[in-house]
Amino acid sequence: MTKPFVIAIDGPAASGKGTLAKKLATHYSLPHLDTGLTYRAIAYSMLEHNIDLTDEAAAVDFAEKLDFAQLDPELFASHTISEVASKVALLPRLRGILVSIQRQVAEKLPGAVLDGRDIGTVVCPSATVKLYIIADMETRARRRYDEIIAAGMTVSYNDVLADLKRRDERDMHRSSGPLKPAEDSYLLNTTKLNIEEMFEAASQLIDNERAKCSGFR
Ligand code: DC
């Protein structure tokens, strides 16, 4: 029997989960889906068409037409898109549609690495391995600040910190698909880890978990 090998990675913004997910996908030769991009794509369309962010019918319409091949991380990278994405992510019907599209990626052989906020709890509750990535608030703000500066933009550290706190508040307290660890997830604190150390820790957990199960492709 073969079944998809699914690695679910959740955690707050700037916890390191995106970089880790990409590295794990390459290592295990699996496709990677950054589910945040699906929310960012809807945010982009809502802004482009000047639509009220509470207009759930319009958001649903965009989601139904969403082409996964068109998810462009660079086009959706701006701070404004990320802020609007966290607002449209509050809409439950929109979440339902994006979740079902994300699930289709995970259900295909050989499996996938998905990262987001609700992968282990809602999108893939029976994922092979679930990781929940955390880091101290100051470490996350410093990482995000360094990324923005490295990209040639200007920002103040305090603005980045305030933004992450607002984002956490919204992500953790929404009624549909809130950010929280699945009961069977492994908690990985990356505060003191660089990307190589994160990868080492995560791949050890994944290899151990995979060794316990059989039937993966
Ligand atoms: O991971 P990101 O910063 O690209 O995500 C942008 C927003 O999308 C984030 O504030 C919350 C939302 N999101 C979500 O609600 N569920 C997911 N699985 C992924 C992202």
Side-chain angles (χ1 to χ4, degrees), residues 93-172:
R93 272 205 307 133
L94 171 68
R95 296 196 69 85
I97 291 174
L98 292 180
V99 164
S100 68
I101 308 174
Q102 293 159 7
R103 216 170 258 157
Q104 285 167 24
V105 174
E107 283 167 356
K108 272 200 207 120
L109 286 169
V113 180
L114 290 91
D115 73 275
R117 307 289 191 286
D118 58 346
I119 310 301
T121 50
V122 178
V123 182
C124 305
S126 52
T128 322
V129 193
K130 299 177 185 178
L131 304 177
Y132 191 83
I133 313 297
I134 55 162
D136 286 359
M137 182 56 95
E138 286 69 26
T139 304
R140 291 165 52 206
R142 175 59 58 187
R143 284 178 187 158
R144 180 53 54 89
Y145 173 83
D146 289 346
E147 261 169 34
I148 297 172
I149 299 298
M153 293 177 273
T154 43
V155 72
S156 85
Y157 171 82
N158 284 339
D159 282 354
V160 173
L161 186 66
D163 183 56
L164 284 180
K165 286 183 179 162
R166 256 199 324 271
R167 190 71 49 88
D168 279 5
E169 179 66 22
R170 226 178 265 144
D171 284 348
M172 289 172 178

Side-chain angles (χ1 to χ4, degrees), residues 17 35-36 39-40 85-86 89 95 116-118 167 171 174:
K17 65 183 188 313
T35 60
Y39 291 89
R40 286 173 184 257
S86 84
R95 296 196 69 85
R117 307 289 191 286
D118 58 346
R167 190 71 49 88
D171 284 348
R174 62 173 170 249

Side-chain angles (χ1 to χ4, degrees), residues 47-67:
L47 284 174
E48 199 183 34
H49 294 86
N50 206 10
I51 291 171
D52 188 294
L53 300 183
T54 58
D55 186 344
E56 188 160 29
V60 163
D61 201 41
F62 286 128
E64 281 168 344
K65 294 179 189 137
L66 183 66
D67 178 359

Side-chain angles (χ1 to χ4, degrees), residues 5-37:
F5 178 44
V6 177
I7 303 174
I9 305 186
D10 290 302
S15 55
K17 65 183 188 313
T19 316
L20 177 64
K22 270 194 215 107
K23 231 173 141 50
L24 290 171
T26 306
H27 179 75
Y28 291 102
S29 302
L30 292 170
H32 167 224
L33 178 63
D34 169 359
T35 60
L37 285 181

